[in-house]
Amino acid sequence: MENIKIIELKKRPWVVAHRGYRAKYPENTIAAFEAAIAAEADMIELDVCLTRDRIPVVIHDKTLDRTTNGQGLVSAHSLAELKELDAGSWFGAEFKGEAIPTLEELLLKIKGRITVNIEIKPESFEAPAPPDAIEVQVCEMVEKLEMADSVLISSFEHFFFGRIQRWYRDQNISAKIRTATLQEAPLADDFAVALCQRHQAYSYHPNECLVTPELIQLLQTEGLRIFPYTVNAEKRMEQLIKWGVNGIISDEPELLWKVIRRLQFSG
Ligand code: G3P
Ligand code: MG
């Protein structure tokens, strides 16, 4: 399902596939995203940063070394150079030839099929913002492809959010893009709520170890949603679902579905 408004109607937690089906496929590749769609995830999560020639590409680390056969900073390479690299073999010989996708390629591939959480990496934050800043390029792409109801934009760099709201205001686009504040470090529950409100967030995405039933309650009372990352253990999935999280960001979408079905959520 590609529309967030329709997933919202389902009375069950959402399955968000972290970097695609990361447990079984090379992360942030088309293979991983296709596998997440096949596993019936509600949403895929992916990471974007800029190449040297300022093209948004889908890769998690700021360097190429861990997930490709290249070396050095992503931002030091042109798209043409990155396209020569193999982003699959490190994970398994059967994935040889998987490429680093551009954000646009990925969006075109999934359009009409699944929703997407685009995480903008803090390393791509620029001050002052140039006209082709990453957040501007992401918004332009989402609007050009008419995918606003399929997209949730998140970041650990919360300064992106004001810029995103401003871009929408400047374009006179009345519909609001959904954004989510990512949070790694401990934060008092009321600060978490205030943070989301300040940034007009749709949802709060904390490290899963920061989640408590009280935090969930407080956020939801204020009309906010909570999607913790990254939960791969069955017992913890079960606990968070029983506490009432709106969804879970996981490398294991099929395992998460198994837990959801066992707890007898339908739809
Ligand atoms: O968006 C949730 C999660 O992906 C944030 O952390 O480092 O896996 O991108 P990371
Ligand atoms: Mg991420």
Side-chain angles (χ1 to χ4, degrees):
M1 174 46 59
E2 81 286 3
N3 193 318
I4 290 176
K5 287 181 187 157
I6 293 176
I7 306 174
E8 281 172 354
L9 299 175
K10 298 184 190 288
K11 301 283 175 239
R12 60 160 175 81
W14 304 5
V15 175
V16 184
H18 185 233
R19 309 183 201 170
Y21 196 154
R22 184 179 179 229
K24 295 193 177 161
Y25 295 80
E27 65 184 53
N28 283 325
T29 62
I30 298 295
F33 297 124
E34 287 292 346
I37 294 172
E40 295 180 28
D42 295 296
M43 180 176 268
I44 52 172
E45 188 265 1
L46 56 82
D47 308 285
V48 284
C49 59
L50 286 182
T51 62
R52 190 181 70 220
D53 43 352
R54 305 190 61 77
I55 310 294
V57 285
V58 181
I59 186 167
H60 178 271
D61 297 2
K62 59 181 171 209
T63 58
L64 298 162
D65 303 50
R66 183 177 62 89
T67 60
T68 76
N69 57 347
Q71 285 180 327
L73 293 170
V74 175
S75 59
H77 292 74
S78 67
L79 178 62
E81 288 164 348
L82 295 184
K83 282 294 185 187
E84 295 295 312
L85 301 178
D86 180 346
S89 294
W90 70 277
F91 193 84
E94 67 273 34
F95 300 111
K96 182 172 165 47
E98 282 295 328
I100 299 173
T102 64
L103 179 62
E104 187 164 27
E105 284 165 355
L106 185 278
L107 292 178
L108 285 169
K109 193 97 190 159
I110 62 144
K111 184 176 167 157
R113 301 170 70 203
I114 194 166
T115 66
V116 57
N117 173 194
I118 301 173
E119 183 194 338
I120 308 179
K121 284 294 169 201
E123 302 85 59
S124 295
F125 184 80
E126 295 169 283
D132 63 347
I134 189 165
E135 67 277 13
V136 169
Q137 292 201 53
V138 169
C139 294
E140 283 174 347
M141 217 177 279
V142 168
E143 291 304 320
K144 183 184 83 180
L145 298 176
E146 300 183 339
M147 289 182 72
D149 274 331
S150 301
V151 171
L152 173 59
I153 300 175
S154 66
S155 190
F156 288 108
E157 176 49 80
H158 301 164
F159 282 119
F160 278 130
F161 301 127
R163 292 179 176 193
I164 289 170
Q165 313 298 354
R166 203 170 316 127
W167 184 85
Y168 271 82
R169 269 202 311 277
D170 291 348
Q171 305 302 308
N172 275 320
I173 300 174
S174 55
K176 269 188 58 191
I177 190 77
R178 295 171 182 83
T179 58
T181 46
L182 274 160
Q183 182 66 30
E184 176 77 37
L187 193 64
D189 290 356
D190 49 346
F191 275 59
V193 171
L195 180 74
C196 292
Q197 288 172 333
R198 170 148 41 100
H199 295 299
Q200 301 175 44
Y202 173 83
S203 51
Y204 184 54
H205 296 192
N207 186 314
E208 64 91 12
C209 65
L210 306 179
V211 181
T212 61
E214 294 73 29
L215 174 64
I216 298 169
Q217 177 73 42
L218 202 58
L219 287 161
Q220 292 176 345
T221 303
E222 295 298 323
L224 292 156
R225 295 169 179 79
I226 176 166
F227 297 86
Y229 73 91
T230 307
V231 186
N232 297 326
E234 207 168 330
K235 281 265 170 295
R236 182 64 169 160
M237 288 174 180
E238 187 170 324
Q239 182 179 49
L240 290 168
I241 292 169
K242 284 182 174 163
W243 285 354
V245 293
N246 298 87
I248 289 180
I249 302 173
S250 174
D251 298 333
E252 297 269 13
E254 285 180 302
L255 179 64
L256 180 52
W257 257 125
K258 193 179 107 183
V259 176
I260 291 171
R261 292 204 171 105
R262 193 174 64 229
L263 295 174
Q264 292 185 318
F265 285 94
S266 58

